[in-house]
Amino acid sequence: MADPAILTVDDDPAVSRSVARDVRHRYGEHYRVVRATSGDEALGALREIKLRGDDVALLLADYRMPGMDGLQFLEAAMDLFPLARRVLLTAYADTDAAIEAINVVDLDHYLLKPWHPPEEKLYPVLDGLLEAWQAVPRSPAGEVRVVGHRWSAPSYKVRDFLARNLVPYRWLLSDDPEGERLMAAAGVGPDDVPLVVTAEGKSLVAPGPAELAAEVGLATAPAEEFYDLVVVGAGPAGLGAAVYGASEGLRTVLVEGRATGGQAGQSSRIENYLGFPDGVSGAQLTDRARRQALKFGAEMLSTRKVVGLRMAGATRLVEFDDGSSVAAHAVVLATGVAYRMLDAPGLAELTGRGVFYGSASTEAPGCVDQDVYIVGGANSAGQAAIYFSRYAKRVHLLIRGDDLARSMSRYLIDQLDRNDRVQVHPHTSVVGGAGGEHLERLTLCDARDGRRREVDASWLFVFIGAEPRTDWLDGVLARDRRGFVLTGPDLLVEGRRPAGWALPRDPYHLESSVPGVFVAGDVRADSVKRVASAVGEGAMAVSLIHRYLEAQ
């Protein structure tokens, strides 16, 4: 494959030459710099690069261009190279428009013109973006291709797994000519999909997560038998614990059953996280945290389901579903929570075929000019409504209460109020669904008068509360009646320490009923369900682990 490309587009010839010259001077040894003077010309160049099977690392587009402006170009370019980092070149007068547009094209950065000296105002920004692009897992050559049916739950699971683990892939329908050619070459028929063809040309028929992870380059087996710290769960709390544990010298391994980021990783835009005034997508935040943990030496394991926790003296053993285990001095449980299933007739069998739990971003392009229904009134539902409004004809947000004020942040409510594609339906719940190959109809009920109505619908995304799913800790750690793990002062009953507690001190603030096992994030009883607090608890757990280890 040729060197990855950096593409610049500006309709002013002098500026176009200037930016290309500065970029080539710094990055020309390892990147191919492509220059265009219009959005159409730039898209043509991107299509040629795509057909050749080459890659694009970075896109720099001027904001004001005739015909197709920089934002329109970057939005169109996302369809060709979604992983390319995107930068908007703008004048000072257009700064507000650039900031407002960040939600539209998921900009990575905007740069004010002129950027001289480039050593101070251009290169540091591009260095960081290119480093981020290089760190995203990708095939050593070529690309992963997935062949499946449009309304196939197994096909959706494969695509969702790859997307959430930041593995680039190409999606082909089984009745497309290229999809048919791949199935014929692999010796499989339409009933055998999903078919995954790796970059090396290996065919996987309906692979499970562990097999798929191993074949696309994700680590699934621990490199060592014993660590200082095992972190279970790779959401914000787990990533925070891994970053701080590894950066402070602890041999740290992070274990995740599905994909890094947790529920936060599925958020299209997090706008109230400290240090990101223009917002950041869950995928971007997860990617940065993952790279940060790896930089400090943390090890990451994917598709490992933890089913048990056992104590052997001062050692803590985390047990996997295949019978293996990994040992450590201390454990941080950051398993988060899972969305509750919507208990309505006809929906269970349509999961993955029009009914989705959480924000299935891979499905958004299929919602173009259609109605999308979202159930839930918290921030995750609001973020999803804004995201899907970019594609759907109309987004219907169904909530049980009078309004969103009790459960959603004000900034999201204000954005929804300004979005004419989003309609909020108070006192409304889904009481049924029906369809053949996929979801076709929903039955809605108005709680005020009990009236029911049917609506045509192919898309339903559910964000209703959360469950900790900690049954595997039954009899091991103290939990509250809902299954959330109790820690610190909550373990003391009338000043008495929990049963079996042998240490001559009270449990630390984030420590569970077993010494050396700490809990962070949403799975902890009475925790604040916010990304910032989860990251903070992950970091705080590491500080408490140092105190625990020093006393051993």
Side-chain angles (χ1 to χ4, degrees):
M1 297 178 66
D3 289 338
I6 296 176
L7 185 142
T8 71
V9 52
D10 196 304
D11 67 304
D12 185 322
V15 176
S16 178
R17 287 192 297 271
S18 175
V19 65
R21 181 189 64 242
D22 287 345
V23 171
R24 189 175 290 110
H25 174 74
R26 175 82 164 198
Y27 307 105
E29 184 177 352
H30 302 292
Y31 295 89
R32 184 162 51 95
V33 179
V34 179
R35 183 166 67 93
T37 56
S38 72
D40 288 334
E41 181 185 348
L43 282 179
L46 289 181
R47 294 189 185 101
E48 289 184 13
I49 294 172
K50 188 72 173 179
L51 289 174
R52 289 197 302 265
D54 296 332
D55 213 343
V56 174
L58 184 66
L59 301 167
L60 297 97
D62 183 56
Y63 176 49
R64 288 186 178 272
M65 293 189 296
M68 177 186 296
D69 65 29
L71 294 175
Q72 292 170 327
F73 162 71
L74 290 174
E75 189 168 14
M78 288 172 66
D79 294 332
L80 293 169
F81 293 97
L83 296 178
R85 302 294 163 162
R86 293 173 287 277
V87 178
L88 191 68
L89 304 175
T90 181
Y92 182 81
D94 297 320
T95 300
D96 290 342
I99 294 174
E100 184 69 22
I102 284 176
N103 287 329
V104 177
V105 298
D106 202 12
L107 281 181
D108 292 293
H109 211 282
Y110 67 89
L111 284 171
L112 293 177
K113 299 187 297 183
W115 52 82
H116 294 292
E119 290 77 11
E120 295 180 11
K121 298 184 178 181
L122 179 66
Y123 297 150
V125 172
L126 301 192
D127 285 348
L129 294 176
L130 290 172
E131 180 184 350
W133 179 83
Q134 290 169 348
V136 173
R138 52 176 42 83
S139 305
E143 62 184 346
V144 175
R145 287 158 290 177
V146 180
V147 183
H149 297 314
R150 177 67 191 85
W151 296 108
S152 161
S155 297
Y156 159 71
K157 289 180 179 178
V158 166
R159 295 163 58 209
D160 186 61
F161 176 85
L162 293 174
R164 293 190 60 190
N165 281 285
L166 303 176
V167 178
Y169 71 92
R170 185 152 54 103
W171 166 241
L172 302 165
L173 292 174
S174 56
D175 55 359
D176 284 346
E178 188 171 356
E180 292 175 344
R181 285 193 294 269
L182 284 173
M183 288 191 297
V188 302
D191 295 334
D192 298 318
V193 296
L195 168 69
V196 178
V197 182
T198 69
E200 295 77 20
K202 184 175 181 179
S203 299
L204 310 174
V205 179
E211 180 186 8
L212 185 57
E215 293 296 342
V216 298
L218 300 176
T220 59
E224 302 180 32
E225 294 183 356
F226 196 92
Y227 295 83
D228 294 319
L229 172 62
V230 174
V231 181
V232 183
L239 287 166
V243 167
Y244 280 88
S247 69
E248 295 178 12
L250 298 179
R251 290 172 299 166
T252 302
V253 60
L254 178 63
V255 180
E256 171 56 42
R258 188 177 181 190
T260 53
Q263 289 186 5
Q266 296 179 282
S267 296
S268 58
R269 178 65 51 179
I270 302 169
E271 296 186 73
N272 59 352
Y273 188 67
L274 184 67
F276 291 88
D278 302 322
V280 61
S281 72
Q284 286 177 317
L285 187 62
T286 296
D287 175 40
R288 293 173 182 179
R290 182 188 60 80
R291 290 188 291 109
Q292 202 170 11
L294 291 172
K295 182 186 77 171
F296 288 124
E299 187 179 333
M300 293 193 177
L301 305 182
S302 300
T303 66
R304 297 309 302 265
K305 183 178 180 181
V306 176
V307 297
L309 177 64
R310 186 162 52 89
M311 277 54 69
T315 297
R316 305 293 175 253
L317 291 167
V318 173
E319 300 174 323
F320 301 127
D321 59 348
D322 64 356
S324 64
S325 63
V326 63
H329 291 302
V331 173
V332 171
L333 297 178
T335 51
V337 292
Y339 290 114
R340 288 201 296 267
M341 303 291 285
L342 188 60
D343 186 18
L347 295 184
E349 53 269 32
L350 293 170
T351 301
R353 296 189 291 126
V355 178
F356 305 94
Y357 291 86
S359 179
S361 58
T362 54
E363 302 303 305
C367 302
V368 172
D369 295 330
Q370 300 183 49
D371 281 17
V372 169
Y373 288 81
I374 295 176
V375 179
N379 280 10
S380 53
Q383 290 162 350
I386 292 169
Y387 176 70
F388 281 101
S389 70
R390 292 169 46 187
Y391 300 87
K393 178 175 65 177
R394 182 165 292 276
V395 176
H396 302 271
L397 188 58
L398 313 179
I399 61 174
R400 292 183 296 178
D402 295 323
D403 54 42
L404 297 167
R406 292 182 58 186
S407 56
M408 189 177 292
S409 295
R410 186 72 241 175
Y411 79 92
L412 279 172
I413 297 175
D414 292 341
Q415 288 187 29
L416 293 172
D417 287 343
R418 296 194 300 265
N419 194 320
D420 57 8
R421 289 194 179 187
V422 178
Q423 181 178 355
V424 179
H425 300 265
H427 306 287
T428 303
S429 58
V430 177
V431 295
E437 184 183 23
H438 62 89
L439 176 69
E440 297 173 2
R441 294 178 303 282
L442 289 173
T443 302
L444 308 181
C445 180
D446 190 320
R448 291 168 291 193
D449 54 20
R451 294 180 59 184
R452 298 189 175 198
R453 59 188 177 96
E454 276 199 354
V455 295
D456 294 332
S458 297
W459 307 96
L460 176 67
F461 299 89
V462 181
F463 302 82
I464 52 169
E467 297 174 330
R469 297 189 182 177
T470 55
D471 293 345
W472 61 281
L473 293 170
D474 188 27
V476 180
L477 301 183
R479 300 175 297 154
D480 66 13
R481 58 183 178 81
R482 296 181 297 165
F484 293 92
V485 182
L486 297 169
T487 61
D490 292 338
L491 291 167
L492 304 179
V493 179
E494 297 181 354
R496 295 193 302 272
R497 294 163 184 160
W501 186 268
L503 299 182
R505 61 165 176 83
D506 290 347
Y508 294 134
H509 182 66
L510 299 180
E511 197 168 19
S512 71
S513 56
V514 171
V517 177
F518 296 80
V519 188
D522 291 358
V523 74
R524 190 176 67 84
D526 296 325
S527 64
V528 178
K529 305 300 189 284
R530 287 291 185 269
V531 174
S533 62
V535 173
E537 287 191 5
M540 181 180 177
V542 172
S543 177
L544 296 174
I545 286 169
H546 281 296
R547 292 173 58 184
Y548 167 77
L549 294 176
E550 289 167 0
Q552 296 303 299

